[in-house]
RNA sequence: GGUCCUGUAGCUCAACUGGAUAGAGCAACUGCCUUCUAAGCAGUAGGUUCCAGGUUCGAGUCCUGGCAGGAUCACCA
């Protein structure tokens, strides 16, 4: 039982003993005391005045005295208006710290024996990854790690959109203009090379539309009848028919793209346990349509098209099969949901997909529940907001995207400049220095994208580079490096900072208590982050922890401290902070350096 | 137009799910490197939490109605 439960249980006891009133301890909640007041936990009296039949102040005094008398952990208390602020004893803090210090894997929960799949990234194979994909990938990867720490077995999956009209556009343009160009001959990364032809298609296509509208055609008709669009559509038909030349071309271009993606994923530091390809899954789901018709979940219209009626759930009717019997997006996603379950028997399934698809997933999940799927209640859409530029939305065809590879390279370059300016690479080999720039640049970028609540859309201004000071990745990395320096020194002077050495340090400083409180809170934050699928919870926590540690670092001496017990304790406390920072940053997919 | 999301300091974001005087970072200003890493610490200044009602001991948070921005409402994906 943790201290909060102990306190609320005792408060319930006080209500019984002092006011003859039974209260469920679980209905009582404590909150952290605001830092301008003395105390660790605060109990709000107002709701219980009917029970105490007294003023808030008098009730608080009575409850406080009762706690102090009955709980050795409670050292003092004070009452401000209707708030009972509870202070805990140094021995409580010391005991708590020793528990944390000796625990292995603080912040890791026991296995739940349950599987969850996290699908993220899910790129199109017609263009390189951009800033929006970075948010998606970092989110998906971090959420996977957080769920794993929380005790799930996690399967990271990537559903690659490798077919369809948009892929055919790149193929048509390449066929027309490519002249056998390859990544080797052009010096372009495979995904960038294919992306180039996607842009070329669009430019030519627009030109054709303009020519047609100028010759008097309606715009809608021009879009349909432009020669290259017709070619792309023909290409799609040939692809679906399995035409050998088309398939060869498709395989060649996609192969280049995958090589490019692999490089980008490696740089980002993300990976996958399972790839799904839409070229394999796009025909799935038709059997589910038949099943839904039988179960009365779907109905057929006169023209033969099949629909789900969700009007009772506050939505409208949604098409699940075209009149000609071909699939739509929804059909395929129903099939893929079943496939994931068949492959892994997952109990939860998380889709990391932008909020523009909120409606689609709401419908999909409702349908799967109505069909009685065993995993139906474990479906989650981790819906994140778009990353906007000051000029508005990114458009890949209009060249206003922030390319993922470019941005990562820029971040590393900025880290290099910054570090060299500060003259912090003394004693680094060339390789070590480059590795550090990578760690810092990517740390800054990942933290920047993960610290914001996923569902909020965020602004990225390419003119203003991502910060390295304040609430940033490098600030937290720096705190870790500082502690690493302390631990190196401790090793150098053979300082023993095992718990036995702490004996004799009886009156902790406020800054030390706060740190222990924060360290203890880590597992709560992992729990919360897992429940809310929000790495931002961890990011915010780490910033607060690092901030608190730097305060401690500035205020209290370590090696110039004369009492051995105090010195050992402060090194131990520092070590625990470093361990927690490393663990938490690890959950965000961010590496921390030993020196910087 | 219907539905969903968002609106907090000049800017970027918090606020433990209804609690105290709404907090950080950046930018600005003032201090602190002869002591463990100054990518740091301490401080000053900055607010009608979009607006109007309501619910109650108490509302940035919940409800209703507006306003603003975004997304979505294809036999596209």
């Amino acid at each position: 039982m943790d201290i909060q439960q102990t306190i609320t249980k005792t408060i319930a006891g006080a209500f019984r003993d002092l006011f003859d009133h039974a209260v469920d301890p679980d209905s009582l909640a404590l909150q952290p005391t605001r830092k301008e007041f003395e105390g660790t936990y605060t109990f709000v009296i107002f709701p219980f005045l009917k029970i105490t039949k007294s003023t808030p102040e008098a009730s608080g005094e009575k409850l406080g005295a009762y706690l102090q008398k009955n709980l050795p952990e409670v050292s003092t208390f004070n009452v401000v208006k209707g708030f009972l602020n509870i202070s805990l004893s140094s021995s409580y803090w010391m005991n708590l710290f020793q528990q944390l210090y000796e625990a292995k894997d603080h912040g890791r929960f026991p296995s739940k024996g349950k599987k969850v799949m996290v699908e993220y990234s899910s790129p199109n194979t017609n263009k390189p990854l951009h800033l929006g994909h970075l948010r998606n990938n970092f989110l998906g990867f971090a959420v996977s790690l957080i769920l794993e720490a929380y005790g799930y077995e996690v399967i990271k999956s990537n559903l690659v959109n490798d077919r369809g009209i948009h892929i055919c556009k790149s193929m048509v343009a390449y066929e027309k203009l490519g002249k056998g160009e390859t990544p080797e001959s052009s010096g372009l990364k495979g995904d960038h090379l294919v992306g180039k032809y996607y842009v070329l298609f669009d430019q030519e296509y627009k030109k054709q539309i303009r020519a047609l509208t100028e010759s008097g055609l309606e715009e809608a008709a021009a879009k349909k009848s432009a020669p290259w669009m017709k070619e792309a559509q023909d290409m799609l038909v040939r692809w679906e028919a399995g035409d050998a030349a088309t398939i060869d071309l498709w395989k060649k271009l996609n192969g280049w793209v995958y090589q490019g993606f692999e490089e980008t994923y490696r740089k980002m530091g993300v990976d996958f346990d399972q790839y799904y390809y839409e070229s394999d899954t796009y025909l799935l789901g038709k059997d589910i349509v038949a099943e839904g018709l039988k179960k009365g979940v779907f109905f057929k219209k006169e023209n033969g098209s099949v629909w789900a009626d969700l009007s009772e759930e506050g939505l409208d009717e949604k098409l699940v099969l075209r009149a000609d019997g071909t699939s739509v997006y929804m059909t395929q996603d129903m099939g893929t949901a079943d496939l994931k379950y068949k492959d892994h028997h997952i109990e939860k399934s998380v889709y990391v997909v932008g909020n523009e698809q909120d409606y689609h997933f709401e419908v999909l999940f409702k349908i799967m529940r109505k069909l009685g799927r065993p995993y139906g209640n474990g479906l989650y859409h981790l819906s994140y907001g778009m990353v906007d530029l000051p000029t508005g939305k990114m458009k890949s065809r209009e060249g206003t995207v922030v390319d993922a590879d470019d941005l990562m390279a820029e971040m590393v370059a900025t880290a290099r400049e910054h570090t060299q300016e500060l003259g912090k690479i003394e004693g680094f080999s060339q390789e070590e220095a480059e590795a550090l720039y990578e760690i810092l640049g990517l740390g800054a970028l990942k933290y920047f994208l993960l610290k914001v609540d996923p569902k909020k859309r965020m602004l990225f201004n390419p003119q203003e580079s991502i910060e390295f000071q304040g609430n940033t990745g490098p600030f937290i990395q720096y705190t870790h490096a500082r502690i690493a320096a302390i631990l190196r020194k401790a090793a150098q002077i053979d300082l023993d900072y095992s718990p036995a050495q702490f004996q004799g340090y009886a009156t902790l400083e406020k800054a030390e208590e706060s740190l222990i409180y924060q360290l203890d809170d880590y597992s709560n934050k992992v729990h919360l982050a897992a429940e809310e699928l929000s790495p931002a919870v961890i990011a915010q926590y780490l910033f607060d922890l690092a901030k608190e540690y730097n305060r401690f670092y500035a205020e209290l001496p370590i090696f110039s401290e004369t009492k051995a017990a105090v010195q050992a304790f402060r090194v131990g406390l520092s070590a625990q902070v470093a361990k927690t920072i490393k663990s938490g940053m690890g959950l965000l997919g961010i590496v921390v350096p030993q020196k910087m």
Side-chain angles (χ1 to χ4, degrees):
Chain A
M1 186 156 57
D2 69 19
I3 188 70
Q4 296 202 46
Q5 286 172 301
T6 308
I7 293 172
T8 50
K9 211 179 137 203
T10 309
I11 291 173
F15 281 127
R16 187 192 56 227
D17 295 347
L18 303 178
F19 306 108
D20 195 25
H21 202 282
V23 179
D24 178 7
D26 293 337
S27 70
L28 305 176
L30 298 176
Q31 52 184 295
T33 302
R34 295 183 70 98
K35 67 167 183 252
E36 60 266 38
F37 299 100
E38 185 71 30
T40 299
Y41 292 108
T42 294
F43 181 69
V44 184
I45 315 288
F46 296 113
F48 305 96
L49 296 179
K50 284 186 192 110
I51 297 174
T52 65
K53 300 196 178 70
S54 168
T55 64
E57 289 80 2
S59 311
E61 290 293 339
K62 279 188 190 164
L63 289 171
Y66 184 94
L67 284 174
Q68 198 174 18
K69 188 171 152 220
N70 288 282
L71 283 181
E73 292 92 340
V74 172
S75 56
T76 57
F77 69 93
N78 64 83
V79 181
V80 181
K81 292 192 262 178
F83 300 90
L84 169 61
N85 301 319
I86 301 160
S87 297
L88 300 169
S89 67
S90 280
S91 63
Y92 162 76
W93 291 114
M94 193 55 97
N95 283 337
L96 175 61
F97 178 66
Q98 292 195 13
Q99 278 174 35
L100 296 172
Y101 195 54
E102 286 169 340
K104 276 193 232 121
D105 288 342
H106 178 45
R108 292 200 81 83
F109 288 67
S111 167
K112 293 185 167 40
K114 292 180 179 174
K115 289 186 184 177
V116 53
M117 178 174 282
V118 179
E119 180 199 299
Y120 67 99
S121 201
S122 306
N124 290 340
T125 58
N126 61 338
K127 53 182 182 248
L129 304 178
H130 59 65
L131 178 54
H133 294 110
L134 288 177
R135 189 178 197 191
N136 178 303
N137 280 275
F138 294 154
L139 262 177
F141 187 67
V143 162
S144 301
L145 295 175
I146 288 165
L147 288 172
E148 202 177 1
Y150 190 50
Y152 286 100
E153 184 184 333
V154 177
I155 299 140
K156 289 167 282 184
S157 76
N158 189 353
L159 176 56
V160 183
N161 188 349
D162 62 343
R163 64 162 289 280
I165 189 70
H166 47 292
I167 313 295
C168 291
K169 290 178 180 177
S170 303
M171 288 161 66
V172 166
Y174 180 81
E175 218 173 33
K176 301 274 182 202
L177 310 169
K179 296 178 192 147
E181 195 176 32
T182 66
E184 292 73 32
S185 75
S186 65
L188 282 173
K189 220 165 138 266
D191 50 336
H192 289 262
L193 179 67
V194 172
K196 181 177 110 177
Y197 288 98
Y198 185 67
V199 172
L200 286 174
F201 177 95
D202 197 62
Q203 288 169 354
E204 175 63 24
Y205 176 44
K206 284 209 171 104
K207 225 181 281 174
Q208 294 176 357
I209 293 171
R210 209 174 322 123
L212 288 170
T213 48
E214 272 164 19
S215 69
L217 214 58
E218 292 284 332
E219 189 170 334
K223 279 184 175 165
K224 273 189 189 154
S225 58
W228 276 30
M229 181 52 91
K230 292 203 129 159
E231 295 213 28
Q233 274 156 354
D234 289 346
M235 180 88 80
L236 184 59
V237 171
R238 287 204 301 280
W239 183 91
E240 292 195 6
D243 172 66
T246 306
I247 298 290
D248 280 351
L249 177 63
W250 173 73
K251 281 188 176 160
K252 182 162 76 175
L253 296 198
N254 272 353
W256 291 340
V257 171
Y258 294 144
Q259 279 181 11
F261 283 174
E262 274 315 304
E263 203 181 316
T264 305
Y265 286 144
R266 206 179 327 119
K267 193 102 180 165
M268 287 195 283
V270 305
D271 55 43
F272 305 93
D273 305 306
Q274 164 101 55
Y275 281 84
Y276 289 109
Y277 297 92
E278 291 199 12
S279 53
D280 296 328
T281 64
Y282 81 106
L283 293 175
L284 294 178
K286 291 193 186 183
D287 50 337
I288 301 177
V289 172
E291 176 195 340
L293 278 170
K294 206 185 293 169
K295 287 185 176 171
V297 177
F298 302 144
F299 68 96
K300 200 174 246 180
K301 290 195 176 172
E302 311 78 55
N303 66 0
S305 58
V306 181
W307 298 72
D309 182 5
L310 298 170
S311 48
E312 275 176 31
E313 280 90 350
L315 304 174
D316 51 15
E317 296 177 352
K318 189 78 189 172
L319 180 84
V320 294
L321 198 71
R322 292 193 189 99
D324 63 7
T326 58
S327 305
V328 289
Y329 184 39
M330 191 62 74
T331 330
Q332 175 185 324
D333 267 7
M334 294 189 301
T336 309
D338 266 6
L339 178 64
K340 288 174 170 180
Y341 183 72
K342 234 176 270 165
D343 284 350
H344 297 286
H345 285 87
I346 45 178
E347 272 158 81
K348 275 167 90 126
S349 195
V350 177
Y351 295 76
V352 184
V353 179
N355 62 10
E356 60 210 350
Q357 297 197 32
D358 283 356
Y359 183 68
H360 172 76
F361 283 105
E362 201 182 344
V363 171
L364 174 68
F365 295 171
K366 283 215 161 95
I367 288 176
M368 297 326 278
R369 283 177 199 134
K370 283 182 100 163
L371 289 168
R373 288 298 184 270
Y375 57 83
N377 288 319
L379 294 164
Y380 297 91
H381 175 203
L382 172 42
S383 160
Y384 64 92
M386 298 290 105
V387 185
D388 288 323
L389 302 176
T391 49
K393 215 179 156 176
M394 292 190 284
K395 290 258 187 238
S396 50
R397 279 172 297 192
E398 288 163 23
T400 57
V401 291
V402 175
D403 180 76
D405 294 318
D406 291 349
L407 183 57
M408 287 192 284
E410 277 169 34
M411 290 304 300
V412 173
T414 309
R416 179 182 297 116
E417 269 170 46
H418 214 66
T419 306
Q420 288 173 352
E421 233 168 68
L422 292 169
K424 291 232 175 176
I425 44 167
E426 264 177 65
F428 277 71
S429 72
Q430 184 70 27
E431 293 75 41
E432 286 170 337
E434 287 301 324
L436 178 65
Y437 305 147
E438 188 113 340
I439 288 172
L440 295 179
L442 278 163
L445 180 58
K446 288 183 188 183
Y447 188 87
F448 176 82
L449 291 171
L450 289 175
K451 76 172 177 187
V452 182
D453 181 352
K455 69 170 178 284
K456 290 190 175 169
R457 81 169 197 269
M458 59 187 295
L459 189 82
F460 174 78
N461 188 345
Q463 306 306 316
E464 302 164 10
S465 57
I466 291 172
E467 301 279 349
F468 284 69
Q469 281 161 13
N471 188 358
T472 67
F475 168 76
I476 297 165
Q477 291 171 317
Y478 173 73
T479 307
H480 183 268
R482 268 187 151 176
I483 298 174
I486 287 172
L487 299 182
R488 279 195 298 274
K489 180 155 181 183
Q492 207 179 6
I493 62 172
D494 269 330
L495 184 82
D496 179 1
Y497 51 98
S498 60
Q501 306 306 314
F502 308 160
Q503 299 310 317
Y505 185 26
T507 49
L508 299 191
E509 297 290 335
K510 180 81 185 152
E512 292 168 328
E513 290 183 4
S514 300
L515 271 179
I516 297 170
Y517 177 88
Q518 295 262 70
L519 291 168
D520 181 47
D521 210 24
Y522 179 53
S523 56
N524 297 332
K525 296 298 182 182
V526 173
H527 177 120
L528 186 65
E531 240 163 35
E532 300 195 344
L533 302 175
S534 174
V537 170
I538 301 291
Q540 204 65 40
Y541 166 79
L542 289 171
F543 175 65
D544 291 339
L545 177 64
K547 188 101 187 121
E548 193 69 46
Y549 182 79
N550 282 310
R551 194 171 295 136
F552 158 86
Y553 183 94
E555 268 176 28
L556 300 172
I558 297 179
F559 293 111
S560 55
E561 167 61 46
T562 49
K563 292 194 198 77
V566 181
Q567 195 177 82
F569 170 73
R570 288 186 183 154
V571 174
L573 184 58
S574 300
Q576 186 64 21
V577 171
K579 197 170 133 191
T580 306
I581 287 177
K582 185 173 184 178
S583 163
M585 289 292 260
L587 295 182
L588 302 181
I590 300 175
V591 179
V592 289
Q594 294 296 319
K595 286 194 245 174
M596 68 183 271

